Amino acid sequence: MHDAPPDQSAPGSEGCAHPSPSSRLRSSRGDPTRRAERLPTTMEAEPEPLGGGLKQRHLTMLGLGGVIGAGLFVGSGAGIAVAGPGIVVSYLIAGALAMCVMRMLGEMSAAMPASGSFSVHAERALGRWAGFSVGWLYWFLLVVVLAVEATGAAQIANSWAPGVPQWAWVLVFMLVFTGANLAAVKNFGEFEFWFAALKVFAIVAFLVLGLLAVFGVLPDTNPVGFTNLTGHGGFLPNGWEGVTSGVLAVVFAFGGLEVVTIAAAESDDPVRSVARAVRSAVYRILFFYVGSMLVIVTVLPWTAEKAGVSPYVTVLDSIGVPSAGTIMNIVVFVALLSALNANLYGSSRMIFSLAERGEAPKALLKVSGGGVPRRAVLASVAFGFVSVVLNLKWPDSVFLYMLNSVGAVLLFVWALIAVSQLRLRRRIEREAPERLVLRMWAFPYLTWAALAAMAAVLGLMLTDDGARPQLLWSAGATGLVLAVAGLREWREGRPSHA
């Protein structure tokens, strides 16, 4: 896996045969105290042991669909409640931050594709501790959120078929997607392609219907116009404080985009695929998110939103779409299953990458004949099942603590992506500039601005009574992982005694 570059020749070594990048990296693991010095320094890519099979259409739809989930269809109502029409600005700010992160990640992944993605990049840029920490934190984030998605989908299915207990639906979903992920990777790609296609179609249809309602084109309707944007307290009824609270409410909805760079390593052409997927995804997702919010607060007064009800359902009901609630329930159901599938895939590839670098048990390195890391998939599913059981049995105690412990992890991951890009960009420019097929905008100023924005969001979480527990628990989980990483390096770096 690691397409990290080989070392420069030492003096007097001219004419000597150089070992392959992978063998050099493996040999460096034998001497942890020297590992950072002996990481390869050119950008020669290494072969991936995983099987290919993902096509450009898979990656494009994965980039579009991976982030369009229940957080948008249901959770956006919380943002509207605190920001009013200003939620459009909140989404613009949060979306711009997500776009910057994806551009940085796309730059590194196109230059150095690897199934460990930002964990591998963090190791190359900052050292082994960084790759270990961000990889395990992201894996833990995915398998905990997986439980939320499985439980949410089971609740919807149980409302359709009350005779089947909720736990049985969870079991069915987990078994189906475990089977899909244990088979060839193209099966995962096909699942995600059609799931994402349905979500994208639903949002496009919503945007079209909303615009028709605004201009009064729908039968038996009068033009709504734009009065709702400035009425009921104005465009910013709660001022800029409401906008910043809105950013806090919606920024985490953009999590999930990172999986496309993990999946790119298993595509037919990793370099071109990840560059194209990132370019298309960031703009279109921003359009879908901001466009949806603009339609919602234009069609209806923001005060008309009901707690616990999807704003999409409220809008569709208002313009006379029959069975709007049922339609959106189906879309949310598909969105949850899509996220479950993507998170299971992403978590299995992340822990496989950790095992490949000696940061997780070597037993997880077993790969099937089709190039699928089956033990890594099963390990992720096993912990996912544990999380689901905790969510079903103790949702307000044990599982709540677990969920809080990953509440701000996404921002920590994004921050490490930005710092890694700052370090690796200069290195790539110096040693292999031809690999910069996708470049971060306004480097390094925009990268620093993104880091400042992340720090500001963390500061907002600290001052917000609802978000503070998530930040503190996440900081505790991050501190624990960092402590383990430091202890491992200290122990492996100690001189051995006879």
Side-chain angles (χ1 to χ4, degrees), residues 134-360:
V134 74
W136 276 109
L137 282 170
Y138 195 70
W139 180 83
F140 184 53
L141 166 67
L142 292 185
V143 293
V144 171
V145 173
L146 185 151
V148 179
E149 293 151 354
T151 306
Q155 288 172 344
I156 294 175
N158 180 253
S159 69
W160 294 334
V164 181
Q166 188 174 319
W167 66 264
W169 284 115
V170 170
L171 183 62
V172 168
F173 300 149
M174 296 289 276
L175 289 175
V176 167
F177 290 109
T178 298
N181 277 269
L182 287 175
V185 70
K186 65 180 180 181
N187 289 0
F188 160 78
E190 285 300 320
F191 266 107
E192 278 306 295
F193 177 83
W194 292 109
F195 279 154
L198 190 149
K199 291 187 288 185
V200 169
F201 173 78
I203 290 184
V204 170
F206 177 81
L207 291 174
V208 171
L209 288 172
L211 287 174
L212 293 177
V214 169
F215 295 106
V217 180
L218 294 175
D220 302 321
T221 61
N222 295 317
V224 174
F226 299 95
T227 56
N228 288 326
L229 287 175
T230 54
H232 311 283
F235 184 70
L236 301 178
N238 296 320
W240 284 101
E241 183 179 349
V243 172
T244 56
S245 297
V247 171
L248 192 58
V250 305
V251 66
F252 295 103
F254 287 91
L257 276 168
E258 310 86 10
V259 175
V260 71
T261 62
I262 295 174
E266 293 183 76
S267 65
D268 299 331
D269 187 350
V271 174
R272 291 184 181 178
S273 294
V274 72
R276 291 175 183 170
V278 168
R279 283 192 186 103
S280 64
V282 291
Y283 295 114
R284 294 177 189 177
I285 286 170
L286 190 60
F287 168 75
F288 287 148
Y289 270 71
V290 175
S292 294
M293 290 306 106
L294 191 57
V295 164
I296 289 170
V297 296
T298 302
V299 173
L300 287 178
W302 69 275
T303 52
E305 300 299 337
K306 303 171 186 175
V309 179
S310 167
Y312 289 77
V313 172
T314 307
V315 169
L316 292 176
D317 276 335
S318 73
I319 60 180
V321 175
S323 304
T326 301
I327 292 171
M328 286 311 302
N329 259 343
I330 294 172
V331 174
V332 171
F333 179 72
V334 170
L336 287 166
L337 293 183
S338 170
L340 192 160
N341 190 36
N343 284 354
L344 180 53
Y345 171 85
S347 60
S348 67
R349 268 46 177 189
M350 183 58 74
I351 201 171
F352 174 82
S353 173
L354 288 166
E356 195 182 35
R357 288 174 281 146
E359 313 294 8

Side-chain angles (χ1 to χ4, degrees), residues 1-6 21 25 39-48 103-126 258 260-267 269-275 278 350 353 356-357 416-439:
M1 166 166 168
H2 309 287
D3 45 343
L25 189 52
L39 278 174
T41 53
T42 61
M43 299 297 153
E44 180 181 347
E46 294 181 27
E48 279 284 344
R103 189 76 179 192
M104 297 177 223
L105 188 49
E107 176 185 285
M108 294 184 291
S109 296
M112 302 171 288
S115 61
S117 188
F118 44 87
S119 175
V120 176
H121 304 149
E123 180 174 318
R124 290 171 180 154
L126 304 170
E258 310 86 10
V260 71
T261 62
I262 295 174
E266 293 183 76
S267 65
D269 187 350
V271 174
R272 291 184 181 178
S273 294
V274 72
V278 168
M350 183 58 74
S353 173
E356 195 182 35
R357 288 174 281 146
L416 271 174
I417 288 172
V419 174
S420 300
Q421 192 261 344
L422 281 171
R423 296 288 299 273
L424 289 179
R425 170 64 175 266
R426 300 298 190 196
R427 183 170 160 186
I428 299 171
E429 285 180 330
R430 184 174 64 251
E431 296 161 7
E434 71 280 359
R435 285 187 172 270
L436 284 172
V437 296
L438 185 71
R439 292 173 180 261

